[in-house]
Amino acid sequence: MKAKKITYWIFATGSIIFIIWAMLYQSGTVGGPVKVKPGEAPQSQVTVKWTELRPTQVPVVYKAVGTVRSREMVDLFSRLPAARITEIRVRSGDSVKKG
C-alpha cells in the first residue's frame, strides 16, 4: 500500500515539475532561444537579398479528370408500333457534339 502512495506522489511531483518546465520553456526563460530586447538588433549575421516585385501574366489552367453522367436515363423506343430502331450510332462513353 505504501509503494502505491509513493509511486503516486513521485508521478504527481514529476508531472507538476514537467508542467512548470514546459511553461518556462514556452516563455523563453529556460532552454529556449535568446530573446532580443525591443530596439536591439539580433546578433546573428543574416544576408538579405531584396528582389523587386513585378506583375506578370499567369495563365489560369485547371486540369481535372472526371466523368460526365446524365441526371436521368432515357429508354429509346419508337412511337409507332410497327417501327423498329435499327441503329444507334453513339455508345456509352463516346464524345458527342451538339447537332
Side-chain angles (χ1 to χ4, degrees):
M1 191 72 155
K2 274 189 168 184
K4 286 185 179 181
K5 284 186 179 181
I6 292 172
T7 305
Y8 171 77
W9 284 109
I10 290 173
F11 178 75
T13 306
S15 298
I16 292 170
I17 290 171
F18 175 75
I19 291 171
I20 292 171
W21 176 83
M23 290 170 56
L24 291 173
Y25 180 80
Q26 289 292 326
S27 68
T29 306
V30 176
V34 178
K35 285 189 170 183
V36 178
K37 294 181 182 176
E40 292 182 9
Q43 294 184 7
S44 64
Q45 298 294 329
V46 179
T47 305
V48 178
K49 180 180 178 185
W50 293 92
T51 304
E52 181 180 341
L53 298 179
R54 296 182 187 129
T56 58
Q57 294 275 337
V58 178
V60 179
V61 177
Y62 179 75
K63 293 183 181 182
V65 177
T67 304
V68 177
R69 294 187 182 186
S70 175
R71 288 188 210 149
E72 55 190 61
M73 295 195 57
V74 177
D75 291 327
L76 296 176
F77 61 91
S78 173
R79 291 184 185 176
L80 303 173
R84 294 173 38 193
I85 299 173
T86 58
E87 182 181 9
I88 300 175
R89 296 183 182 178
V90 178
R91 291 183 294 161
S92 177
D94 287 350
S95 297
V96 294
K97 293 181 182 178
K98 185 176 179 179

